[in-house]
Amino acid sequence: MAEIQSQCSKCGPGQVLDTSSTTCCYDCVNCNNYSQYTLVDDLQTCYNCTQEQRAFSNKSGCEDIIPVHLYYTSPIEFSILVFSCLGIVCVSVTYWYMFVYTYTPIARAQDEPTCCS
């Protein structure tokens, strides 16, 4: 006599069994979160990695997240700092101008009143 083979789908890593359908077989559903994984012997539950970890790309386990530090000596970080300070200076000069010259025609030409008048 021949052995009967199941026609149900096989779930891979990062997938859990969805037995909510009314048929005799089940469907595989992906774990939603990027930090969830499944164990090979337990396909019923998606497990969460710790806050310092993320799931492997195949969702079979967790790996540590390597922190990236920004240094002021790097050219990219220094340019971000310079442009941020430049933006703060521009906003401060505009505010100062509108505050000092509140009653001049240029300041009154705005459609809305200023907050400092």
Side-chain angles (χ1 to χ4, degrees):
M1 207 153 159
E3 188 175 311
I4 299 174
Q5 295 290 326
S6 172
Q7 298 299 318
C8 296
S9 58
K10 298 257 184 193
C11 292
Q15 295 180 327
V16 292
L17 301 174
D18 181 20
T19 56
S20 64
S21 63
T22 58
T23 62
C24 64
C25 285
Y26 54 83
D27 292 326
C28 295
V29 178
N30 292 329
C31 293
N32 293 331
N33 198 335
Y34 69 93
S35 64
Q36 290 182 332
Y37 67 98
T38 56
L39 299 174
V40 176
D41 55 349
D42 180 18
L43 297 175
Q44 300 291 332
T45 308
C46 289
Y47 295 99
N48 290 323
C49 297
T50 63
Q51 199 169 22
E52 295 84 24
Q53 295 179 327
R54 65 176 175 207
F56 290 126
S57 60
N58 64 357
K59 304 280 190 174
S60 62
C62 294
E63 65 181 341
D64 290 334
I65 297 174
I66 300 171
V68 176
H69 299 285
L70 300 176
Y71 298 101
Y72 291 112
T73 57
S74 174
I76 293 175
E77 286 80 7
F78 185 73
S79 63
I80 291 172
L81 180 66
V82 167
F83 282 118
S84 299
C85 291
L86 184 64
I88 291 171
V89 168
C90 288
V91 168
S92 299
V93 167
T94 303
Y95 179 76
W96 173 81
Y97 181 82
M98 296 307 286
F99 182 74
V100 170
Y101 299 104
T102 302
Y103 299 106
T104 62
I106 294 175
R108 289 184 180 207
Q110 296 185 60
D111 293 333
E112 297 179 17
T114 59
C115 63
C116 55
S117 58

